[in-house]
Amino acid sequence: MAKGTHDFAPDPRNESVLININGALVHRAEASVSVFDSGFMLGDGVWEGLRLHQGQIAFLEAHLDRLYEGAKAIAMDIGLTRAELTQRIDETVDGNAMRGEEGVHIRLMVTRGIRSTPYQDPRVVISPATIVMIPEYKAPLPSTIESGIRLFTVHVRRGDPAVQDQKLNSHSKLNCITACIQATQAGADEALMLDPHGFVATCNSTHFFIVRKGEVWTSSGDYCLGGITRSNVIQVCREAGIPVFEKNFSLTDVYGADEAFVTGTFAGVVPVTEVDGRVMTSGRGPMVERLQGLYRDLMDKDCTR
């Protein structure tokens, strides 16, 4: 059965979690936003996925940097300072008594707010930004970390930044959704996406790397989100003396690689065992296993700082 990097074991505790909507903690079954909300109506907003580790949000400052930079880029006022937003995250974690738990994931979503009518012009917005935080007991499956996933290269491309800049972590994810649909219908777990020039860009929900002769390669980054786990893996490679390159490369380079893997906040470093029917590895290769350990060490260090 196909699976993805975001698969998890259902946890009955999630039925009673409290969701933070504009500062108010609301039971999950009662949580809602207006049909006139900019996010629901137009996908107008930015978001972050956060991981609670050792009682702290891992790499919080980097996530806030990306959130606030994205909001600024689309001329959206979040309405809270970084300190105020951090306090609200803490209130969400503590209101659910999750501080001492592992395997907690938080989706932080900010939209432009309520519109007076269904129309794209931001000048019809009549409320402050809508800020929602959904905490869940949600850990990646051990089998995903150990056995990996299979990718299929889709026809859906990562767009030119003049059309919609892929560096924006926006609510508008239809490009990635259509890629995911094609991959899963082909029997794979996730989609591998190319850039407008035919070079490998990224996956529909994670960043893609290959290993060739002891070197780690990832895309130039020109057509993908500024991934936080991606940048952390590049960092640990450099610190460990592992040659790492951000460069253009083709599917031919992928098919001939020794190993492949993807990265993301939810599951960290995940091996890719197959791309378009070409077998990369059976489970984790030695480089992926090493990088999983180095990434865990970096996350431990960040959360105990």
Side-chain angles (χ1 to χ4, degrees):
M1 179 179 295
K3 59 186 183 302
T5 53
H6 287 72
D7 276 12
F8 64 99
D11 192 315
R13 294 176 294 178
N14 287 329
E15 295 302 316
S16 58
V17 297
L18 301 175
I19 294 173
N20 195 317
I21 302 179
N22 294 326
L25 292 175
V26 181
H27 285 282
R28 182 185 182 114
E30 301 168 358
S32 63
V33 296
S34 169
V35 295
F36 288 92
D37 185 79
S38 297
F40 172 77
M41 189 175 290
L42 296 164
D44 183 5
V46 291
W47 63 276
E48 290 293 321
L50 308 174
R51 169 64 65 192
L52 188 68
H53 181 64
Q54 296 183 355
Q56 304 296 327
I57 302 297
F59 312 113
L60 177 60
E61 293 306 312
H63 282 286
L64 292 179
D65 284 345
R66 188 168 67 182
L67 183 77
Y68 278 87
E69 288 171 9
K72 183 179 181 181
I74 62 172
M76 183 182 73
D77 182 10
I78 292 177
L80 297 176
T81 66
R82 289 171 68 111
E84 290 168 337
L85 186 60
T86 300
Q87 181 179 348
R88 191 170 290 186
I89 295 169
D90 287 337
E91 290 169 354
T92 304
V93 171
D94 294 333
N96 284 281
M98 290 174 159
R99 186 66 65 182
E101 301 287 341
E102 287 295 314
V104 172
H105 182 266
I106 302 168
R107 176 61 64 94
L108 165 60
M109 298 171 284
V110 184
T111 75
R112 202 178 297 272
I114 307 300
R115 282 170 147 78
S116 61
T117 186
Y119 183 51
Q120 66 187 36
D121 191 330
R123 289 174 293 184
V124 302
V125 173
I126 57 174
S127 79
T130 300
I131 303 175
V132 175
M133 301 174 191
I134 303 176
E136 292 182 301
Y137 296 97
K138 193 175 179 182
L141 297 177
S143 59
T144 303
I145 305 299
E146 296 167 6
S147 302
I149 62 170
R150 297 166 299 138
L151 300 180
F152 177 80
T153 304
V154 298
H155 81 279
V156 183
R157 299 293 180 98
R158 300 296 283 189
D160 188 292
V163 178
Q164 181 174 338
D165 198 333
Q166 302 297 316
K167 289 183 171 58
L168 278 172
N169 202 19
S170 75
H171 283 244
S172 304
K173 288 293 180 183
L174 197 56
N175 173 263
C176 295
I177 293 168
T178 53
C180 181
I181 290 169
Q182 186 182 355
T184 55
Q185 289 183 340
D189 303 320
E190 291 189 10
L192 183 60
M193 303 176 71
L194 307 181
D195 70 21
H197 307 290
F199 295 112
V200 173
T202 185
C203 297
N204 62 277
S205 67
T206 52
H207 287 86
F208 181 71
F209 291 74
I210 59 174
V211 181
R212 293 178 60 90
K213 299 180 180 179
E215 298 178 348
V216 174
W217 294 7
T218 191
S219 75
S220 66
D222 292 339
Y223 298 93
C224 63
L225 179 69
I228 291 166
T229 310
R230 175 185 186 269
S231 64
N232 284 333
V233 166
I234 292 171
Q235 174 187 333
V236 299
C237 282
R238 289 172 176 160
E239 291 175 350
I242 300 169
V244 59
F245 301 95
E246 297 176 81
K247 59 185 291 184
N248 288 328
F249 59 91
S250 70
L251 285 172
T252 300
D253 297 311
V254 175
Y255 298 153
D258 302 314
E259 300 177 51
F261 62 95
V262 296
T263 62
T265 295
F266 181 70
V269 178
V270 175
V272 171
T273 58
E274 184 180 303
V275 179
D276 299 340
R278 279 77 166 179
V279 175
M280 300 286 108
T281 52
S282 176
R284 286 181 290 196
M287 181 67 79
V288 169
E289 188 167 6
R290 182 183 180 189
L291 290 175
Q292 285 178 337
L294 291 172
Y295 176 72
R296 282 194 302 270
D297 291 344
L298 181 66
M299 189 160 58
D300 289 345
K301 181 180 178 181
D302 180 80
C303 291
T304 55
R305 183 172 301 162

